[in-house]
Amino acid sequence: QVRLAESGGGLVQAGGSLRLSCVASGLAFSTYNLAWFRQAPWKEREFVAAISWGGSTTRYADSVKGRFTISKDNAKNSVDLQMNSLQPEDTAVYYCGTGDVSMSTATPKAKYWGQGTQVIVSS
C-alpha cells in the first residue's frame, strides 16, 4: 500500500543539474524519515542522502556532500533531491526510500522503495 513515485531523471552533460522528486502515498508522510539511494549498472545500491521526518536533520554521502541537497514538502507528500555539478560517476538509477530510514547511521536503509528514475551524465 506504500507507493513511492520518482520523477525528474534524464540525460545531462557533466557540470549540469537535475532535480529529482518523489511523491509518496499510503503512509503518514510527515512522520517518516526519507532518503535517496542510487544504483549504477552492475553495482550495489548505495545511500545518497536522508532527511528526518521534521526536515531539520539531513545526512549525505561523502561523494555528494556539497553538490546535492535533499528537501521535503509535507504538504505535497514529496521529497526532492537537487543535484548540481553532476559528474559521469553520478550516473545511476535513483530511488527514494522510506520506512526504517535511520538518522543515527551514516548508511541508512529503507523498507519501501520507488521504481527509480534514470540519471545519465555524459562527459
Side-chain angles (χ1 to χ4, degrees):
Q1 65 187 52
V2 176
R3 296 173 58 189
L4 303 170
E6 302 95 335
S7 63
L11 176 65
V12 64
Q13 291 185 346
S17 298
L18 285 172
R19 188 176 183 90
L20 307 183
S21 295
C22 173
V23 178
S25 62
L27 78 166
F29 184 84
S30 62
T31 67
Y32 281 75
N33 300 333
L34 293 108
W36 285 94
F37 303 80
R38 66 187 182 186
Q39 187 167 21
W42 312 114
K43 301 294 184 180
E44 294 184 352
R45 189 172 299 185
E46 66 176 351
F47 164 74
V48 175
I51 188 167
S52 62
W53 65 266
S56 61
T57 303
T58 58
R59 185 183 294 275
Y60 297 92
D62 289 342
S63 59
V64 307
K65 192 173 299 181
R67 299 189 297 122
F68 292 9
T69 303
I70 188 171
S71 62
K72 67 182 303 192
D73 188 334
N74 290 340
K76 298 179 179 179
N77 283 8
S78 67
V79 57
D80 290 356
L81 185 69
Q82 177 66 45
M83 306 185 296
N84 298 327
S85 301
L86 285 163
Q87 301 299 313
E89 51 264 40
D90 297 315
T91 294
V93 176
Y94 283 71
Y95 301 86
C96 64
T98 190
D100 297 334
V101 174
S102 175
M103 301 302 298
S104 300
T105 177
T107 56
K109 301 179 182 296
K111 181 178 180 180
Y112 305 107
W113 305 90
Q115 83 288 349
T117 185
Q118 179 104 58
V119 172
I120 300 176
V121 184
S122 63
S123 61

